Amino acid sequence: MTGLINLLTRPLLFAMEPEQAHFATIAALRTLPIPAAGPHDPRLAVDAFGLRFPAPLGMAPGFDKGGEVPDALLRLGFGHVEVGTITPLPQPGNPKPRLFRLKEDLGVINRLGFNSEGHAVAHERLKARAARAGVVGVNVGANKESADRAGDYVTGVRAFADVASYFTINISSPNTPGLRDLQQAAALDSLLARVIDARDEMAAAHGRKPILLKIAPDLTPGDLDDVVRVARDRKVDGMIVGNTTIERPATLRSAEAREAGGLSGKPLFELATKMLAATYLRVEGQFPLIGVGGIDGAETAFAKIEAGATLLQIYSVMVFEGPALVGQIHRGLLQELERRGVTLAQTVGSRAAHYAAGF
Ligand SMILES: Cc1cc2nc3c(=O)[nH]c(=O)nc-3n(C[C@H](O)[C@H](O)[C@H](O)COP(=O)(O)O)c2cc1C
């Protein structure tokens, strides 16, 4: 059925301007009856951050920024959905056009700049589905004009404590000027201290929600040393590696490659996987990692796990391949585990040194 949806909708969506196509997809997920993908094989279940994920692959943030369609995405077969990034106040983001398909490269460039409906609207939606099953993480960010950006993350943790399965602290978008400076050691330490205090304050009423830190794939080895040291000292529950890149690999062929913004999709795979493996080696098993960036099928998904990912997320290649990819990846992972006679847990980080080479 998802294969049929793929066939029918792709030419139509590709004829549309990318951001319009995005809104059409969200509207379709909101209104059409989405057939359930069926139960996941128990061998794909993952326990991490104190949560049970029925399967490793989740929907990355940026697709459902406002928490409109998490349940439809779970029905498509995702093991979890991360909504956001959500900023405290509504803000429009950057001028359009700001989203570009790199067709020849299976990549995307975006400079959306945290277009967000704000906490109140998204919270209302998530509150309405809070009794339903499924892991729904909330990715929080800061308003562009905020006088206290760290304070915006604290506000986010307080605002969504009753509805979030976990939180992601997104300090790695390249499209809000200065945001990535929060990855510097002193700023990060203070930010995480405040965020974790807020989480702990809310725990009595709503349970202890895991705090994950999402980083850029563009950090230098020295930056990464600092980030991981602070994350370990502050006892975050996990890290997500990573966001879009400001790099432009020489292999890019699409004319849109010259657009400013963050690059994602297939051309991001190598860089993001190297950063993931380098992070895994530095974390030394203190907490699990979510690997994201350039997954385009079961082979790259398996490679992410070998590089150090306990869980996975995808966004950009879905734009080209459609929702059938989710089931294909989960089935392919299972086949690969069977073929090798190993479990998912045994695979995590098994080739981290290989993938981190040259970092
Ligand atoms: C259009 C678009 C919007 C995005 N918006 C966000 C966002 O709001 N917050 C965030 O943490 N990441 C955002 N991302 C980054 C993705 O979550 C993901 O980290 C990145 O795209 C790499 O994965 P992929 O190669 O599978 O797309 C966005 C990506 C795209 C393509």
Side-chain angles (χ1 to χ4, degrees), residues 22 60-63 65 82 84-86 99 108-110 112 114-115 139 168 170 172-173 214 240 242-244 262-266 268-269 292-295 313-317:
H22 175 75
F63 178 77
K65 281 183 187 267
E82 187 171 315
T85 294
I86 311 173
L99 180 59
V108 171
I109 288 177
N110 93 81
L112 295 171
F114 285 172
N115 52 314
N139 178 309
T168 296
N170 176 20
S172 47
S173 165
K214 183 167 177 179
I240 305 186
N243 218 310
T244 58
L263 170 70
S264 54
K266 199 172 169 61
L268 172 60
F269 178 76
V292 50
I295 293 175
Q313 290 179 345
I314 188 172
Y315 181 174
S316 298
V317 177

Side-chain angles (χ1 to χ4, degrees), residues 146-278:
S146 172
D148 175 17
R149 283 190 171 163
D152 283 10
Y153 293 88
V154 171
T155 310
V157 168
R158 292 216 173 96
F160 292 95
D162 58 338
V163 294
S165 302
Y166 69 83
F167 283 105
T168 296
I169 306 302
N170 176 20
I171 48 170
S172 47
S173 165
N175 300 312
T176 297
L179 191 84
R180 287 177 164 205
D181 295 346
L182 288 170
Q183 293 175 128
Q184 285 163 10
L188 181 62
D189 188 59
S190 152
L191 169 69
L192 289 180
R194 290 176 67 185
V195 161
I196 286 172
D197 275 354
R199 183 272 306 276
D200 292 345
E201 278 165 29
M202 304 304 285
H206 303 296
R208 181 189 178 281
K209 301 300 166 82
I211 300 279
L212 315 186
L213 180 68
K214 183 167 177 179
I215 63 170
D218 302 322
L219 298 174
T220 65
D223 291 339
L224 184 63
D225 288 343
D226 286 350
V227 166
V228 172
R229 178 175 47 77
V230 173
R232 288 179 61 164
D233 286 351
R234 287 288 168 197
K235 297 195 167 41
V236 301
D237 297 277
M239 284 175 59
I240 305 186
V241 191
N243 218 310
T244 58
T245 179
I246 53 173
E247 297 285 325
R248 293 293 181 269
T251 51
L252 293 176
R253 294 187 296 136
S254 312
E256 294 81 358
R258 283 188 290 272
E259 293 291 343
L263 170 70
S264 54
K266 199 172 169 61
L268 172 60
F269 178 76
E270 206 176 311
L271 176 65
T273 307
K274 187 184 285 192
M275 187 65 63
L276 169 70

